[in-house]
Amino acid sequence: MSYEIDIREELTIHNRNEKTREAAAKLGEYIRQFNKMDGLSGMQIYAMELGADEKIAWTEDELSTKECGYIFTDDASGTPLLKLVEEDYTHWDEEEDVAVLLEHLEDAREIHFYIDCSLIVTSETSYGAAYWQEYLQRQEEAAEDLRGNLIYRDAEFYTAEDPVCCYVWENGAGRKPAFDSGAEDVADCPAWYSYCLRMAADGLPQEGIPGENAAAQLSCMAEAFAEKYDLESPVPEAEGGSWRMEEELGIFGGEEEELIADLQQFADFAKSAGADFSLRAEFFSDAGEFQFLSLGIEEDGRIRPKFCCF
């Protein structure tokens, strides 16, 4: 069984000593290891940038293993570095080849890496925080060498019960950012995107019980919601007193309150029908920033936004 992991991460290294040189070598290993990552069956890169001093390699277009074979090349001749399907493909310009930068990465003084991608995996893999967090925790004994010289930011979404993982390493220590920022911290976010908005109503009235049309009314509300937000999936029917809806959803910045009001209608209706309603949704900034929005039901039944920005 395969599942999808969406990763957004950024690493900045001011290469000044042996510890930062070691971190630069670790970054080189990280990029190369996609060539042999166990369980990797697909990859899509939305944006990537690797800079080393005055040299830079990047992509402005999405790259997918469904569309190309070799995402990275080992040198200007096109020797494959990252081989994902049996088809030759060279994306990078010869002078800005990723592998050319990797060859001399440890000697660069200023290094910057950013990637926004999705992985399709079938087993445990070494990606994102799973790759960096353990390594960086071991470096805390050498915090003085890395303090101010290494900053790592990571956010990941999993198709799992607790879908979002955020991690930051800076000033010689790691931390997990909390959703405690105010709306003013993300006021410049142009758009939000949720990989999985989940809502459910349990204990809906059944036939023969007063309010038996609650399930049908809830489905009608969902149809209007799907049309308004341009959702493609069919609206689910309630079964056995339970109703579920799971969607990917995008909105423009500034539409958060309108979305919350629409979701609140579901919560209020379910409550009026005597059902238990649950909601879970985490939104990433669609501009590639480390800005996030979380929506859930409070104890008083209200939906209030929580923000995270780092």
Side-chain angles (χ1 to χ4, degrees), residues 5-286:
I5 305 162
D6 296 280
I7 301 173
R8 181 174 298 169
E9 60 185 338
E10 181 178 56
L11 176 66
T12 300
I13 302 173
H14 305 298
N15 197 1
R16 302 293 185 268
N17 52 58
E18 286 302 313
K19 278 297 180 181
T20 56
R21 183 180 177 86
E22 177 186 316
K26 194 73 175 174
L27 174 59
E29 293 175 6
Y30 180 65
I31 296 175
R32 289 188 178 95
Q33 59 100 36
F34 286 102
N35 187 41
K36 57 183 184 297
M37 183 187 289
D38 293 336
L40 178 64
S41 61
M43 183 177 184
Q44 183 163 2
I45 298 178
Y46 305 115
M48 177 178 166
E49 179 178 302
L50 175 63
D53 292 337
E54 301 302 318
K55 297 181 180 179
I56 188 170
W58 79 96
T59 175
E60 295 178 340
D61 302 316
E62 291 186 15
L63 297 177
S64 172
T65 56
K66 296 179 181 178
E67 301 167 356
C68 64
Y70 305 140
I71 291 183
F72 305 143
T73 57
D74 194 33
D75 54 31
S77 68
T79 304
L81 169 67
L82 198 161
K83 180 178 179 182
L84 295 172
V85 297
E86 297 295 330
E87 179 181 347
D88 191 11
Y89 182 91
T90 302
H91 177 76
W92 307 103
D93 293 336
E94 293 181 1
E95 291 143 4
E96 297 171 338
D97 195 283
V98 171
V100 172
L101 272 65
L102 292 179
E103 289 177 4
H104 307 286
L105 199 59
E106 297 171 48
D107 299 320
R109 294 280 290 173
E110 302 295 336
I111 301 167
H112 180 260
F113 174 71
Y114 174 87
I115 190 168
D116 194 344
C117 67
S118 293
L119 306 180
I120 306 298
V121 296
T122 57
S123 64
E124 292 297 324
T125 58
S126 186
Y127 56 84
Y131 182 93
W132 288 104
Q133 189 169 345
E134 181 179 354
Y135 167 76
L136 290 171
Q137 286 174 344
R138 294 200 307 269
Q139 308 311 308
E140 292 185 5
E141 295 180 359
E144 288 305 316
D145 290 333
L146 297 178
R147 190 186 307 276
N149 290 325
L150 189 151
I151 300 174
Y152 175 71
R153 298 192 293 172
D154 171 81
E156 301 171 13
F157 176 87
Y158 311 88
T159 50
E161 189 65 28
D162 295 316
V164 173
C165 167
C166 295
Y167 181 74
V168 176
W169 203 95
E170 60 184 345
N171 296 320
R175 62 184 175 88
K176 293 184 177 181
F179 281 83
D180 57 4
S181 297
E184 64 277 3
D185 295 331
V186 297
D188 60 344
C189 181
W192 296 104
Y193 192 83
S194 176
Y195 292 101
C196 188
L197 182 151
R198 299 186 180 111
M199 50 182 167
D202 294 305
L204 289 169
Q206 303 291 292
E207 290 187 23
I209 301 176
E212 62 184 274
N213 292 323
Q217 293 181 52
L218 193 58
S219 292
C220 287
M221 292 172 59
E223 289 177 2
F225 182 85
E227 182 176 356
K228 178 176 180 178
Y229 291 97
D230 196 25
L231 306 181
E232 297 180 357
S233 301
V235 175
E237 297 287 339
E239 296 182 1
S242 295
W243 177 87
R244 299 281 187 278
M245 189 171 183
E246 188 170 308
E247 286 287 350
E248 294 187 20
L249 177 64
I251 60 171
F252 291 107
E255 294 182 351
E256 303 95 321
E257 292 304 320
E258 184 175 356
L259 173 63
I260 292 170
D262 291 338
L263 294 173
Q264 190 68 58
Q265 291 184 355
F266 284 96
D268 293 343
F269 179 81
K271 182 179 181 180
S272 69
D276 294 324
F277 183 78
S278 61
L279 169 71
R280 180 72 184 270
E282 281 80 16
F283 291 78
F284 284 21
S285 165
D286 207 27

